[in-house]
Amino acid sequence: MATKANEQPTLTPNASLIKYTVATAIDPDGTLHATRCNCSFCQKLGCTNLRVASPSTDFKLLQPASMHDNEDVGDYSKDPTKMHRWFCKKCSVLVYMEGVLEWEGQEVGFFMVNVGSIDQPQEGVDLGKIKLQYVDMLNDNIHGGLKGEPWGNGLP
């Protein structure tokens, strides 16, 4: 069940040099909905991703002022014109990913927070209550959509 924007819990990260807040809908029982991707990057890091539908209103970077040109922040990207994977150089935690994917001939923006960067405990949020859905990006299968079990060669 989604809540109104001003009632959404605000989550904060564990990374010491990168601080943010993100508002997201959480079910009344505390369940957080997230995705797991089977691409080589997400697999190797064991990422669990929280989709941020409206980053301009639901995500606020508190520190540093900008992720760009910051010596404490790393950006791992095969193609920096399409995607940024921001991580803290001090603790190596992937914090969030943003970019565009090609879908049906059009570029579609996405923004994902790594659930593993969210501090625990936080009132109303229990990362042990994550409901996962899986996406098959190892095979660039965005058309396959989300499903309730891992795609081939994906982590549970």
Side-chain angles (χ1 to χ4, degrees):
M1 177 176 123
T3 58
K4 294 179 185 173
N6 62 352
E7 296 175 353
Q8 291 176 332
T10 298
L11 309 177
T12 56
N14 189 15
S16 59
L17 297 176
I18 301 171
K19 301 200 180 300
Y20 66 85
T21 61
V22 63
T24 190
I26 297 177
D27 290 348
D29 69 355
T31 300
L32 183 67
H33 295 265
T35 60
R36 197 155 279 160
C37 173
N38 64 349
C39 78
S40 61
F41 181 84
C42 289
Q43 283 285 102
K44 287 178 170 97
L45 287 178
C47 288
T48 300
N49 302 307
L50 174 66
R51 182 176 174 268
V52 180
S54 181
S56 62
T57 57
D58 293 338
F59 181 87
K60 182 176 181 185
L61 184 62
L62 304 173
Q63 179 185 317
S66 171
M67 298 298 268
H68 300 275
D69 301 319
N70 186 306
E71 65 184 34
D72 295 324
V73 175
D75 177 13
Y76 173 80
S77 296
K78 286 183 183 179
D79 182 353
T81 65
K82 300 280 185 187
M83 180 184 293
H84 297 279
R85 294 177 175 118
W86 302 106
F87 64 93
C88 174
K89 285 185 177 177
K90 181 178 181 183
C91 66
S92 302
V93 169
L94 173 71
V95 179
Y96 69 93
M97 299 178 276
E98 61 181 328
V100 292
L101 296 171
E102 215 171 292
W103 187 34
E104 297 182 349
Q106 295 186 358
E107 290 188 339
V108 178
F110 73 92
F111 194 103
M112 303 274 193
V113 170
N114 176 18
V115 171
S117 72
I118 298 171
D119 275 343
Q120 283 287 281
Q122 287 190 55
E123 188 175 337
V125 180
D126 180 353
L127 296 185
K129 292 183 177 182
I130 292 178
K131 180 173 180 174
L132 288 174
Q133 290 190 299
Y134 300 86
V135 61
D136 182 22
M137 295 309 293
L138 179 66
N139 300 300
D140 291 326
N141 184 17
I142 195 167
H143 295 288
L146 296 171
K147 67 181 200 174
E149 59 188 35
W151 288 88
N153 301 305
L155 290 171

Short mmCIF file of all heavy atoms in Angstrom, two decimals, residues 6-51:
data_model
loop_
_atom_site.label_atom_id
_atom_site.label_comp_id
_atom_site.label_asym_id
_atom_site.label_seq_id
_atom_site.Cartn_x
_atom_site.Cartn_y
_atom_site.Cartn_z
N ASN A 6 4.10 12.93 1.78
CA ASN A 6 4.57 13.51 3.03
C ASN A 6 4.52 12.51 4.18
O ASN A 6 4.98 12.79 5.27
CB ASN A 6 3.79 14.78 3.38
CG ASN A 6 2.31 14.52 3.57
OD1 ASN A 6 1.81 13.43 3.32
ND2 ASN A 6 1.60 15.53 4.01
N GLU A 7 3.96 11.31 3.95
CA GLU A 7 3.90 10.28 4.98
C GLU A 7 4.91 9.17 4.73
O GLU A 7 5.04 8.27 5.53
CB GLU A 7 2.50 9.67 5.05
CG GLU A 7 1.43 10.66 5.46
CD GLU A 7 0.04 10.06 5.39
OE1 GLU A 7 -0.11 8.93 4.90
OE2 GLU A 7 -0.89 10.73 5.84
N GLN A 8 5.62 9.23 3.61
CA GLN A 8 6.54 8.16 3.28
C GLN A 8 7.73 8.18 4.23
O GLN A 8 8.24 9.23 4.58
CB GLN A 8 7.05 8.30 1.84
CG GLN A 8 5.98 8.05 0.83
CD GLN A 8 6.48 8.28 -0.59
OE1 GLN A 8 7.37 9.08 -0.80
NE2 GLN A 8 5.89 7.59 -1.54
N PRO A 9 8.17 6.99 4.63
CA PRO A 9 9.37 6.93 5.47
C PRO A 9 10.56 7.49 4.71
O PRO A 9 10.65 7.36 3.50
CB PRO A 9 9.55 5.44 5.72
CG PRO A 9 8.24 4.82 5.41
CD PRO A 9 7.59 5.69 4.39
N THR A 10 11.46 8.09 5.43
CA THR A 10 12.69 8.59 4.84
C THR A 10 13.81 7.67 5.29
O THR A 10 14.00 7.47 6.49
CB THR A 10 12.97 10.03 5.29
OG1 THR A 10 11.89 10.85 4.84
CG2 THR A 10 14.25 10.55 4.71
N LEU A 11 14.51 7.09 4.33
CA LEU A 11 15.59 6.16 4.63
C LEU A 11 16.92 6.87 4.49
O LEU A 11 17.07 7.77 3.67
CB LEU A 11 15.52 4.97 3.67
CG LEU A 11 14.14 4.30 3.58
CD1 LEU A 11 14.17 3.19 2.55
CD2 LEU A 11 13.70 3.78 4.92
N THR A 12 17.89 6.48 5.28
CA THR A 12 19.21 7.10 5.21
C THR A 12 20.27 6.02 5.00
O THR A 12 20.07 4.87 5.36
CB THR A 12 19.54 7.89 6.49
OG1 THR A 12 19.43 7.01 7.60
CG2 THR A 12 18.59 9.06 6.66
N PRO A 13 21.41 6.41 4.42
CA PRO A 13 22.42 5.43 4.07
C PRO A 13 23.41 5.14 5.19
O PRO A 13 23.54 5.89 6.14
CB PRO A 13 23.14 6.09 2.91
CG PRO A 13 23.09 7.53 3.26
CD PRO A 13 21.74 7.73 3.91
N ASN A 14 24.15 4.07 4.98
CA ASN A 14 25.20 3.65 5.89
C ASN A 14 26.54 4.27 5.50
O ASN A 14 27.41 4.44 6.34
CB ASN A 14 25.28 2.12 5.85
CG ASN A 14 26.19 1.56 6.89
OD1 ASN A 14 26.57 2.24 7.82
ND2 ASN A 14 26.55 0.32 6.74
N ALA A 15 26.72 4.58 4.22
CA ALA A 15 28.01 5.11 3.75
C ALA A 15 28.34 6.42 4.46
O ALA A 15 27.52 7.32 4.50
CB ALA A 15 27.98 5.31 2.24
N SER A 16 29.55 6.52 5.00
CA SER A 16 29.88 7.68 5.82
C SER A 16 30.11 8.96 5.02
O SER A 16 29.86 10.03 5.53
CB SER A 16 31.11 7.37 6.66
OG SER A 16 32.20 7.04 5.83
N LEU A 17 30.59 8.86 3.79
CA LEU A 17 30.88 10.07 3.02
C LEU A 17 29.73 10.51 2.13
O LEU A 17 29.68 11.64 1.69
CB LEU A 17 32.12 9.86 2.16
CG LEU A 17 33.41 9.60 2.94
CD1 LEU A 17 34.56 9.31 1.97
CD2 LEU A 17 33.75 10.77 3.84
N ILE A 18 28.82 9.59 1.83
CA ILE A 18 27.68 9.91 0.98
C ILE A 18 26.43 9.77 1.83
O ILE A 18 26.17 8.71 2.39
CB ILE A 18 27.61 8.96 -0.24
CG1 ILE A 18 28.89 9.07 -1.06
CG2 ILE A 18 26.38 9.29 -1.08
CD1 ILE A 18 29.03 8.04 -2.15
N LYS A 19 25.70 10.85 1.93
CA LYS A 19 24.48 10.85 2.74
C LYS A 19 23.32 11.31 1.88
O LYS A 19 23.46 12.24 1.09
CB LYS A 19 24.64 11.74 3.96
CG LYS A 19 25.80 11.29 4.85
CD LYS A 19 25.67 11.83 6.24
CE LYS A 19 26.81 11.40 7.14
NZ LYS A 19 26.97 10.00 7.32
N TYR A 20 22.20 10.65 2.05
CA TYR A 20 21.00 10.99 1.28
C TYR A 20 19.77 10.61 2.07
O TYR A 20 19.85 9.91 3.08
CB TYR A 20 20.98 10.24 -0.06
CG TYR A 20 20.85 8.75 0.07
CD1 TYR A 20 19.59 8.14 0.20
CD2 TYR A 20 21.96 7.93 0.08
CE1 TYR A 20 19.48 6.78 0.34
CE2 TYR A 20 21.85 6.57 0.21
CZ TYR A 20 20.60 5.99 0.34
OH TYR A 20 20.48 4.62 0.49
N THR A 21 18.65 11.08 1.62
CA THR A 21 17.36 10.58 2.10
C THR A 21 16.58 10.15 0.87
O THR A 21 16.74 10.71 -0.22
CB THR A 21 16.56 11.64 2.88
OG1 THR A 21 16.28 12.74 2.03
CG2 THR A 21 17.30 12.10 4.12
N VAL A 22 15.76 9.14 1.05
CA VAL A 22 14.89 8.68 -0.02
C VAL A 22 13.54 8.34 0.59
O VAL A 22 13.46 7.73 1.64
CB VAL A 22 15.49 7.47 -0.79
CG1 VAL A 22 15.67 6.26 0.10
CG2 VAL A 22 14.67 7.13 -2.02
N ALA A 23 12.49 8.82 -0.05
CA ALA A 23 11.14 8.52 0.40
C ALA A 23 10.60 7.41 -0.48
O ALA A 23 10.78 7.42 -1.71
CB ALA A 23 10.25 9.77 0.28
N THR A 24 9.96 6.44 0.15
CA THR A 24 9.43 5.31 -0.61
C THR A 24 8.21 4.75 0.08
O THR A 24 8.01 4.96 1.28
CB THR A 24 10.51 4.21 -0.79
OG1 THR A 24 10.04 3.24 -1.72
CG2 THR A 24 10.85 3.54 0.53
N ALA A 25 7.40 4.05 -0.68
CA ALA A 25 6.22 3.41 -0.11
C ALA A 25 6.63 2.10 0.56
O ALA A 25 7.43 1.35 0.03
CB ALA A 25 5.20 3.14 -1.20
N ILE A 26 6.11 1.88 1.74
CA ILE A 26 6.35 0.65 2.49
C ILE A 26 4.99 0.13 2.92
O ILE A 26 4.13 0.89 3.36
CB ILE A 26 7.26 0.91 3.71
CG1 ILE A 26 8.63 1.40 3.22
CG2 ILE A 26 7.40 -0.33 4.56
CD1 ILE A 26 9.59 1.76 4.32
N ASP A 27 4.79 -1.18 2.77
CA ASP A 27 3.52 -1.78 3.16
C ASP A 27 3.28 -1.58 4.66
O ASP A 27 4.23 -1.40 5.43
CB ASP A 27 3.52 -3.28 2.85
CG ASP A 27 3.48 -3.57 1.36
OD1 ASP A 27 3.22 -2.64 0.57
OD2 ASP A 27 3.71 -4.74 0.99
N PRO A 28 2.00 -1.63 5.08
CA PRO A 28 1.70 -1.44 6.51
C PRO A 28 2.44 -2.40 7.43
O PRO A 28 2.76 -2.05 8.56
CB PRO A 28 0.19 -1.68 6.59
CG PRO A 28 -0.31 -1.37 5.22
CD PRO A 28 0.79 -1.78 4.28
N ASP A 29 2.77 -3.59 6.94
CA ASP A 29 3.50 -4.55 7.78
C ASP A 29 5.01 -4.32 7.74
O ASP A 29 5.77 -5.09 8.32
CB ASP A 29 3.17 -5.98 7.37
CG ASP A 29 3.72 -6.36 5.99
OD1 ASP A 29 4.27 -5.48 5.30
OD2 ASP A 29 3.59 -7.54 5.61
N GLY A 30 5.45 -3.24 7.08
CA GLY A 30 6.87 -2.91 7.02
C GLY A 30 7.61 -3.49 5.83
O GLY A 30 8.82 -3.33 5.71
N THR A 31 6.90 -4.16 4.92
CA THR A 31 7.54 -4.77 3.76
C THR A 31 7.96 -3.71 2.75
O THR A 31 7.19 -2.84 2.38
CB THR A 31 6.59 -5.78 3.07
OG1 THR A 31 6.25 -6.80 4.01
CG2 THR A 31 7.24 -6.41 1.85
N LEU A 32 9.20 -3.82 2.32
CA LEU A 32 9.79 -2.94 1.32
C LEU A 32 9.89 -3.73 0.02
O LEU A 32 10.34 -4.87 0.03
CB LEU A 32 11.18 -2.51 1.80
CG LEU A 32 11.98 -1.53 0.98
CD1 LEU A 32 11.30 -0.17 0.98
CD2 LEU A 32 13.38 -1.40 1.55
N HIS A 33 9.46 -3.15 -1.08
CA HIS A 33 9.51 -3.82 -2.38
C HIS A 33 10.78 -3.41 -3.11
O HIS A 33 11.05 -2.22 -3.26
CB HIS A 33 8.26 -3.49 -3.21
CG HIS A 33 7.03 -4.03 -2.59
ND1 HIS A 33 6.49 -5.23 -2.94
CD2 HIS A 33 6.25 -3.54 -1.59
CE1 HIS A 33 5.42 -5.47 -2.21
NE2 HIS A 33 5.25 -4.45 -1.37
N ALA A 34 11.55 -4.40 -3.56
CA ALA A 34 12.82 -4.14 -4.22
C ALA A 34 13.03 -5.15 -5.35
O ALA A 34 12.27 -6.11 -5.48
CB ALA A 34 13.95 -4.21 -3.21
N THR A 35 14.06 -4.90 -6.15
CA THR A 35 14.35 -5.79 -7.27
C THR A 35 15.78 -6.32 -7.16
O THR A 35 16.64 -5.72 -6.53
CB THR A 35 14.22 -5.08 -8.63
OG1 THR A 35 15.12 -3.98 -8.69
CG2 THR A 35 12.81 -4.59 -8.87
N ARG A 36 15.96 -7.44 -7.79
CA ARG A 36 17.29 -8.01 -7.93
C ARG A 36 17.52 -8.28 -9.40
O ARG A 36 16.67 -8.84 -10.08
CB ARG A 36 17.41 -9.28 -7.11
CG ARG A 36 18.84 -9.60 -6.94
CD ARG A 36 19.28 -10.40 -5.79
NE ARG A 36 19.45 -9.75 -4.53
CZ ARG A 36 19.45 -10.43 -3.40
NH1 ARG A 36 19.24 -11.72 -3.40
NH2 ARG A 36 19.65 -9.82 -2.28
N CYS A 37 18.66 -7.85 -9.89
CA CYS A 37 19.02 -7.97 -11.30
C CYS A 37 20.10 -9.04 -11.43
O CYS A 37 20.92 -9.21 -10.54
CB CYS A 37 19.55 -6.60 -11.75
SG CYS A 37 20.24 -6.56 -13.40
N ASN A 38 20.10 -9.74 -12.56
CA ASN A 38 21.11 -10.78 -12.76
C ASN A 38 22.24 -10.35 -13.69
O ASN A 38 23.01 -11.18 -14.16
CB ASN A 38 20.47 -12.07 -13.28
CG ASN A 38 19.84 -11.91 -14.64
OD1 ASN A 38 19.68 -10.81 -15.15
ND2 ASN A 38 19.44 -13.03 -15.24
N CYS A 39 22.38 -9.04 -13.96
CA CYS A 39 23.51 -8.59 -14.79
C CYS A 39 24.81 -8.87 -14.02
O CYS A 39 24.80 -9.06 -12.80
CB CYS A 39 23.39 -7.11 -15.15
SG CYS A 39 23.84 -5.95 -13.84
N SER A 40 25.91 -8.88 -14.73
CA SER A 40 27.18 -9.25 -14.09
C SER A 40 27.54 -8.28 -12.95
O SER A 40 28.05 -8.70 -11.92
CB SER A 40 28.29 -9.33 -15.11
OG SER A 40 28.49 -8.08 -15.75
N PHE A 41 27.25 -7.01 -13.10
CA PHE A 41 27.58 -6.04 -12.06
C PHE A 41 26.77 -6.30 -10.79
O PHE A 41 27.32 -6.46 -9.71
CB PHE A 41 27.33 -4.61 -12.56
CG PHE A 41 27.68 -3.56 -11.54
CD1 PHE A 41 28.98 -3.12 -11.41
CD2 PHE A 41 26.70 -3.02 -10.73
CE1 PHE A 41 29.30 -2.16 -10.46
CE2 PHE A 41 27.01 -2.06 -9.78
CZ PHE A 41 28.33 -1.63 -9.65
N CYS A 42 25.45 -6.36 -10.93
CA CYS A 42 24.59 -6.56 -9.76
C CYS A 42 24.84 -7.92 -9.10
O CYS A 42 24.82 -8.04 -7.88
CB CYS A 42 23.12 -6.41 -10.14
SG CYS A 42 22.65 -4.71 -10.51
N GLN A 43 25.09 -8.94 -9.91
CA GLN A 43 25.37 -10.27 -9.38
C GLN A 43 26.62 -10.25 -8.50
O GLN A 43 26.64 -10.80 -7.42
CB GLN A 43 25.59 -11.27 -10.51
CG GLN A 43 24.33 -11.73 -11.17
CD GLN A 43 23.57 -12.70 -10.32
OE1 GLN A 43 22.60 -12.33 -9.68
NE2 GLN A 43 24.00 -13.92 -10.27
N LYS A 44 27.68 -9.66 -9.02
CA LYS A 44 28.96 -9.68 -8.28
C LYS A 44 28.88 -8.90 -6.98
O LYS A 44 29.55 -9.24 -6.01
CB LYS A 44 30.08 -9.15 -9.17
CG LYS A 44 30.43 -10.17 -10.24
CD LYS A 44 31.50 -9.67 -11.16
CE LYS A 44 32.00 -10.74 -12.03
NZ LYS A 44 31.64 -11.01 -13.27
N LEU A 45 28.06 -7.86 -6.94
CA LEU A 45 27.90 -7.08 -5.72
C LEU A 45 26.77 -7.58 -4.83
O LEU A 45 26.65 -7.15 -3.69
CB LEU A 45 27.65 -5.60 -6.05
CG LEU A 45 28.85 -4.84 -6.57
CD1 LEU A 45 28.47 -3.41 -6.90
CD2 LEU A 45 29.97 -4.85 -5.56
N GLY A 46 25.93 -8.46 -5.37
CA GLY A 46 24.78 -8.92 -4.60
C GLY A 46 23.78 -7.80 -4.35
O GLY A 46 23.17 -7.74 -3.28
N CYS A 47 23.62 -6.91 -5.31
CA CYS A 47 22.76 -5.73 -5.15
C CYS A 47 21.29 -6.09 -5.01
O CYS A 47 20.79 -6.97 -5.70
CB CYS A 47 22.88 -4.80 -6.35
SG CYS A 47 24.43 -3.93 -6.43
N THR A 48 20.64 -5.39 -4.15
CA THR A 48 19.19 -5.37 -4.06
C THR A 48 18.81 -3.92 -4.27
O THR A 48 19.28 -3.04 -3.55
CB THR A 48 18.70 -5.88 -2.70
OG1 THR A 48 19.17 -7.23 -2.53
CG2 THR A 48 17.19 -5.86 -2.60
N ASN A 49 17.98 -3.66 -5.28
CA ASN A 49 17.74 -2.29 -5.73
C ASN A 49 16.33 -1.80 -5.38
O ASN A 49 15.36 -2.49 -5.61
CB ASN A 49 17.95 -2.21 -7.24
CG ASN A 49 19.33 -2.65 -7.64
OD1 ASN A 49 20.32 -2.15 -7.12
ND2 ASN A 49 19.42 -3.60 -8.55
N LEU A 50 16.28 -0.60 -4.88
CA LEU A 50 15.02 0.08 -4.58
C LEU A 50 14.79 1.11 -5.67
O LEU A 50 15.57 2.06 -5.81
CB LEU A 50 15.10 0.76 -3.22
CG LEU A 50 13.92 1.61 -2.81
CD1 LEU A 50 12.67 0.75 -2.63
CD2 LEU A 50 14.24 2.35 -1.52
N ARG A 51 13.75 0.91 -6.48
CA ARG A 51 13.45 1.85 -7.55
C ARG A 51 12.88 3.14 -6.97
O ARG A 51 11.99 3.11 -6.13
CB ARG A 51 12.44 1.24 -8.53
CG ARG A 51 12.12 2.15 -9.68
CD ARG A 51 11.18 1.45 -10.68
NE ARG A 51 10.78 2.37 -11.70
CZ ARG A 51 9.68 3.12 -11.64
NH1 ARG A 51 8.88 3.05 -10.60
NH2 ARG A 51 9.38 3.95 -12.62
#
